Amino acid sequence: NAGVTQTPKFRVLKTGQSMTLLCAQDMNHEYMYWYRQDPGMGLRLIHYSVGEGTTAKGEVPDGYNVSRLKKQNFLLGLESAAPSQTSVYFCASRFGLAASYNEQFFGPGTRLTVL
Amino acid sequence: QQQVKQSPQSLIVQKGGISIINCAYENTAFDYFPWYQQFPGKGPALLIAIRPDVSEKKEGRFTISFNKSAKQFSLHIMDSQPGDSATYFCAASWGSASKIIFGSGTRLSIRP
């Protein structure tokens, strides 16, 4: 099992450009999450999904859109990138509702720089 | 109310010593308190977690102490080793989607 994978690993954008970050998991997890990590601020939830075809806003959703067309994939889009979106982006997934399955599994991250 | 406050921001401990990281929360709806460990260039990984109905959980050299009345919890790393050098995040979770609120992180360095 590859676990949670993220594509690309690194990306540099110019202000106003768009891009899509891809997250894939092969663990048959129901829930998937997108976070951003900034120095001194921990990880903040951008959007999440509780199943195929569903999405919901997290703590910092502005400027981002997401889609979950397939259970194994969760896409994060930036329509018009801004320097404030320079960050490391992490995707995570979780099995389901049962209390013993609260653990989120994280991908390796995507380092995005917006100039 | 949704914040999890973590301290210290950075910590240096001698090899063999005890590392202690503290966290505090306000929201009594939180029902799951994980600690994540992150090495440079990697994603966070679950280290140990506790539910509010127990006061302590131990896994090897790692122990969570939980004080429900004070709304505080802490991570203790016994016999700290250089391989423990990493960033540690406390967190709190609630609700059916188990959204996690992370603390700001503690960068731990274990000196040989």
Side-chain angles (χ1 to χ4, degrees), chain B residues 60-80:
Chain B
R61 296 184 294 108
F62 301 91
T63 300
I64 300 178
S65 297
F66 189 85
N67 186 330
K68 189 174 181 178
S69 61
K71 298 179 191 173
Q72 295 175 346
F73 59 110
S74 59
L75 176 69
H76 296 235
I77 306 174
M78 311 299 288
D79 187 25
S80 299

Side-chain angles (χ1 to χ4, degrees), chain B residues 12-69:
Chain B
I12 299 174
V13 175
Q14 289 296 123
K15 178 182 176 183
I18 302 174
S19 304
I20 302 175
I21 304 170
N22 300 299
C23 287
Y25 65 98
E26 289 293 327
N27 189 347
T28 56
F30 290 143
D31 58 7
Y32 177 69
F33 299 87
W35 284 88
Y36 280 80
Q37 180 187 55
Q38 184 180 30
F39 293 104
K42 304 292 185 183
L46 181 66
L47 182 64
I48 186 173
I50 196 168
R51 296 203 175 273
D53 53 348
V54 298
S55 60
E56 184 175 283
K57 184 173 182 180
K58 184 176 181 179
E59 290 184 2
R61 296 184 294 108
F62 301 91
T63 300
I64 300 178
S65 297
F66 189 85
N67 186 330
K68 189 174 181 178
S69 61

Side-chain angles (χ1 to χ4, degrees), chain A residues 26-44:
Chain A
D26 61 0
M27 297 176 283
N28 200 33
H29 285 174
E30 289 293 332
Y31 295 180
M32 297 186 74
Y33 308 81
W34 275 107
Y35 295 89
R36 60 177 290 172
Q37 183 175 28
D38 302 292
M41 300 187 73
L43 290 95
R44 292 180 293 168

Side-chain angles (χ1 to χ4, degrees), chain A residues 14-77:
Chain A
K14 294 181 179 179
T15 298
Q17 288 184 318
S18 63
M19 77 163 295
T20 300
L21 283 68
L22 171 63
C23 176
Q25 53 92 6
D26 61 0
M27 297 176 283
N28 200 33
H29 285 174
E30 289 293 332
Y31 295 180
M32 297 186 74
Y33 308 81
W34 275 107
Y35 295 89
R36 60 177 290 172
Q37 183 175 28
D38 302 292
M41 300 187 73
L43 290 95
R44 292 180 293 168
L45 182 64
I46 304 171
H47 285 282
Y48 65 100
S49 168
V50 300
E52 182 179 315
T54 74
T55 62
K57 293 180 180 179
E59 184 185 357
V60 288
D62 294 343
Y64 305 95
N65 57 75
V66 288
S67 64
R68 182 100 181 266
L69 298 180
K70 294 182 179 180
K71 185 177 183 178
Q72 64 268 35
N73 296 337
F74 195 28
L75 278 64
L76 178 70

